[in-house]
Amino acid sequence: MKKLTFLLLMTGLFALPGCRDYVDEYVTYTQNEPVFMPASEFRSAVNVEQPRPIEKQGKIAFYDGYLYISQPQKGIHVVDNRDPSNPRNVAFIELLGNADMHVRNNVLYADSYIDLVWFDIRDPAKPLFKGRKEEVFPQALPPTENGFDVDYEKVMDRNNGIVVGWRTVERKELVRTYKPRWWSWGGLTEKMVYNDPVSYGGGSVGAVGSMSRFAIYQDNLYTVINNRLGIFDLSEVTPGKVADDVPVGFNVETIFSYKNCLFMGTPTGMIIYSVEDPLKPKYQSMITHVFGCDPVVVENDIAYVTIRSGTFCGQNANSLIIVDVSNVKQPKHIVTYNMQNPKGLGIDNGTLFVCDDGLRIFNAEDPTTIMHKDNILAHFKEINGLDVIPFNNVLMMIAEDGIYQYDYTDVRHIRQLSRLPIGK
């Protein structure tokens, strides 16, 4: 009888209309809503045009005397750089959604949001569009610059077309907030906001900057987007995706090919994969550091990594990290140097170029003495360098306001050759 009375009492408590333990209320927030373009219109928007001014800096590649400069989301500028003292803008490839590119055997490979496209550049001033591989980068999206969340439910619906941009919209949503409960048997005793989760779902090879997400090894193009490594066979006229994407880590940002390994930069460290079997990349090791966005370059079994503050990675470290990778299964930290805010970097025959507080150039033959005054070769200030390609004693640097080039034939007397403007 006592048991029945207790059950009736508890039932009555739950039934009382004024005893709800939650409150429903509307909240307003701002979200990025995708802007779509019909797939047919998107894929037909490829044109080779007369040269136009470079309005915004992006990734860079160099091949056979020509520079290829991505204008993010818009296309690729072709620059005749056979005379680095007088670079000439000679063509523009209109290519929606472009961010990265690489070159092999007179073919320029580039991304176009979710697709891979390629061009015949035997005449670099007149690139010829040759083909497109559709839906090979399904996670690729235009960047957002305002910090607001993305409406992924709409993004993932391919019936809407291709996402080519964002518009900010205000949303109003009913949210349930739970009150503290007076009883407790291991249940919740603090306020909790409930919301339905969203499911996220060999040949002649060019040189690319350290910020690149494209790398080439033998006959294969390797691409990294977010946490996926894609592999494409370039041995035939039409590139083929030869394997499923390989999950390689959280938000891989850059990739660098050295010997038979791929070195990938992530917000938490450098990951090394062996491509001894090119179609089956095999994890070797990871060297971790504080959160930071990091490109990596390698020479003579020494890896150089930069991390910087002021990015989405959300940390305050600014460093140059040097690592011995002679044993890729057990990389060894050599030294870490404080920097101002380093970005891209390059290494050529012991000379290290770092985009930091302008452009810093070091003698890196002994990594432990880079900061010795005798090893600081040059420091060009008052420019915001972003990435570099050192090649044949000419350094090509992309900065916020232009393409700067330097002759480092004599590393003790490095001199500027030219500047090709970017922006107004």
Side-chain angles (χ1 to χ4, degrees):
M1 184 63 180
K2 289 182 179 180
K3 183 175 182 180
L4 178 60
T5 302
F6 175 76
L7 290 173
L8 288 172
L9 176 61
M10 292 302 293
T11 302
L13 285 171
F14 284 123
L16 289 175
C19 294
R20 290 191 307 173
D21 64 333
Y22 60 86
V23 174
D24 288 335
E25 57 185 348
Y26 283 95
V27 297
T28 301
Y29 60 94
T30 304
Q31 189 175 49
N32 286 306
E33 183 178 82
V35 176
F36 292 96
M37 179 181 287
S40 58
E41 180 182 347
F42 167 76
R43 292 186 170 117
S44 64
V46 179
N47 296 293
V48 176
E49 305 173 353
Q50 293 298 309
R52 61 170 69 170
I54 306 172
E55 297 175 351
K56 188 176 181 181
Q57 72 283 347
K59 306 291 180 70
I60 52 175
F62 177 77
Y63 181 79
D64 197 22
Y66 284 77
L67 269 168
Y68 299 85
I69 303 161
S70 171
Q71 183 165 320
Q73 322 311 318
K74 301 295 185 181
I76 300 171
H77 298 270
V78 183
V79 176
D80 184 344
N81 202 52
R82 289 174 293 182
D83 179 3
S85 299
N86 184 32
R88 295 184 304 108
N89 201 342
V90 295
F92 178 71
I93 304 170
E94 183 183 12
L95 185 63
L96 293 180
N98 175 250
D100 280 88
M101 63 210 149
H102 215 314
V103 186
R104 177 184 180 273
N105 290 354
N106 289 306
V107 179
L108 171 67
Y109 301 92
D111 60 348
S112 178
Y113 287 135
I114 61 174
D115 296 345
L116 177 71
V117 299
W118 55 98
F119 300 84
D120 182 332
I121 55 168
R122 282 175 290 186
D123 183 351
K126 297 178 180 179
L128 297 175
F129 173 71
K130 301 301 290 185
R132 176 185 294 266
K133 203 82 172 176
E134 299 180 3
E135 296 275 355
V136 293
F137 307 123
Q139 296 180 335
L141 292 170
T144 60
E145 299 179 356
N146 52 26
F148 298 128
D149 288 337
V150 168
D151 187 345
Y152 281 100
E153 189 172 345
K154 287 187 177 180
V155 165
M156 301 312 293
D157 186 355
R158 282 285 188 267
N159 293 323
N160 292 324
I162 309 299
V163 181
V164 295
W166 307 98
R167 65 169 66 92
T168 55
V169 295
E170 281 199 350
R171 304 281 194 198
K172 181 178 280 189
E173 186 172 341
L174 185 65
V175 173
R176 177 164 293 179
T177 303
Y178 284 89
K179 302 175 182 177
R181 296 186 175 110
W182 60 269
W183 69 90
S184 177
W185 46 79
L188 296 175
T189 57
E190 299 293 333
K191 287 187 177 181
M192 175 181 76
V193 176
Y194 171 80
N195 201 353
D196 288 331
V198 178
S199 297
Y200 297 85
S204 65
V205 176
V208 292
S210 63
M211 296 290 192
S212 180
R213 295 180 302 165
F214 281 18
I216 290 177
Y217 174 69
Q218 293 185 354
D219 290 332
N220 296 288
L221 170 68
Y222 298 88
T223 65
V224 287
I225 294 181
N226 295 330
N227 63 341
R228 316 294 296 182
L229 174 66
I231 309 171
F232 299 86
D233 179 9
L234 305 183
S235 61
E236 302 294 334
V237 174
T238 299
K241 195 163 187 180
V242 293
D244 292 335
D245 286 351
V246 179
V248 290
F250 172 70
N251 204 12
V252 176
E253 298 154 337
T254 65
I255 184 171
F256 185 87
S257 173
Y258 173 73
K259 292 184 177 179
N260 63 349
C261 285
L262 301 175
F263 294 77
M264 289 171 269
T266 80
T268 56
M270 179 182 67
I271 302 174
I272 306 174
Y273 269 74
S274 168
V275 283
E276 188 172 356
D277 183 340
L279 304 186
K280 295 180 180 179
K282 187 176 180 180
Y283 174 83
Q284 300 297 300
S285 61
M286 178 177 184
I287 184 165
T288 59
H289 52 63
V290 296
F291 281 92
C293 301
D294 56 333
V296 53
V297 295
V298 189
E299 183 180 72
N300 295 332
D301 293 337
I302 302 295
Y304 304 83
V305 185
T306 60
I307 60 173
R308 69 189 186 279
S309 61
T311 69
F312 71 91
C313 299
Q315 50 74 48
N316 295 315
N318 291 284
S319 304
L320 168 66
I321 303 172
I322 304 180
V323 182
D324 181 344
V325 293
S326 54
N327 181 351
V328 292
K329 293 182 180 295
Q330 294 182 320
K332 296 179 180 179
H333 173 260
I334 297 175
V335 65
T336 295
Y337 295 107
N338 291 329
M339 294 271 134
Q340 294 293 318
N341 191 245
K343 301 177 182 69
L345 71 168
I347 183 77
D348 181 30
N349 197 29
T351 302
L352 178 67
F353 306 87
V354 183
C355 294
D356 181 55
D357 188 26
L359 171 65
R360 297 175 184 266
I361 306 175
F362 305 94
N363 175 2
E365 291 182 2
D366 180 354
T368 64
T369 63
I370 282 178
M371 291 299 176
H372 190 279
K373 64 179 182 179
D374 291 338
N375 290 327
I376 300 175
L377 302 176
H379 186 187
F380 297 92
K381 296 185 176 182
E382 298 180 358
I383 49 178
N384 188 6
L386 303 174
D387 205 0
V388 295
I389 296 176
F391 181 82
N392 198 25
N393 292 324
V394 172
L395 180 78
M396 296 158 274
M397 179 178 72
I398 188 164
E400 276 194 350
D401 64 342
I403 307 294
Y404 292 76
Q405 300 194 66
Y406 300 86
D407 182 341
Y408 60 94
T409 304
D410 181 352
V411 294
R412 294 292 172 180
H413 298 89
I414 298 171
R415 60 190 181 90
Q416 183 175 330
L417 296 172
S418 62
R419 171 182 170 266
L420 183 67
I422 291 178
K424 295 181 180 179

